[in-house]
Amino acid sequence: MSGAGETPKSSGSKSSVDHYNFDDPLFLHPSDNGVVSIISIKLTGPENFRIWRSSMIRALKGRNKLGLVDNTFSKPTTDELKIQKWERDNAIVCSWILGSISESIYANHAYS
């Protein structure tokens, strides 16, 4: 057993964290799967759009998902596994965004 500050000894197999690439835009932390909204305020209209947008950008950057929204990370075209992961992540990001807008404007954007 490793003490505090020590690195665990390798047993020849990868640890459960080694196979994750946290810098990969397609990495999705397991705790993010069920999240309805990633920010605490809801978009109600033009009056709070700037603060909502700023909060949403920070939250997406923190999860390495802003590229799906601003199209700096476009959908892969050749690797089927990456296409499926991109589609999953895109659906989750859409649900985060839709979960952070008020019910009064949700209906207008649910199918966008």
Side-chain angles (χ1 to χ4, degrees):
M1 178 177 268
S2 298
E6 293 179 22
T7 38
K9 302 219 180 338
S10 176
S11 62
S13 65
K14 291 187 172 200
S15 78
S16 61
V17 180
D18 286 344
H19 68 279
Y20 292 124
N21 182 355
F22 296 107
D23 292 332
D24 182 355
L26 295 177
F27 170 75
L28 187 65
H29 194 278
S31 67
D32 282 337
N33 267 336
V35 177
V36 175
S37 181
I38 56 173
I39 60 174
S40 60
I41 64 169
K42 288 204 177 246
L43 175 64
T44 57
E47 64 279 355
N48 76 333
F49 175 76
R50 289 182 66 172
I51 187 86
W52 175 86
R53 180 181 182 273
S54 176
S55 297
M56 184 59 70
I57 287 172
R58 270 193 310 277
L60 290 170
K61 276 183 183 177
R63 288 167 174 79
N64 201 20
K65 299 293 183 242
L66 185 59
L68 277 80
V69 175
D70 69 9
N71 209 28
T72 57
F73 184 68
S74 53
K75 185 176 180 178
T77 57
T78 56
D79 184 334
E80 189 60 37
L81 181 59
K82 284 188 177 188
I83 292 169
Q84 290 174 0
K85 287 180 177 182
W86 187 94
E87 289 174 349
R88 177 204 59 203
D89 286 5
N90 188 58
I92 289 171
V93 168
C94 287
S95 71
W96 289 341
I97 293 170
L98 290 172
S100 70
I101 63 175
S102 69
E103 290 76 17
S104 63
I105 59 176
Y106 176 86
N108 293 331
H109 300 283
Y111 300 103
S112 299

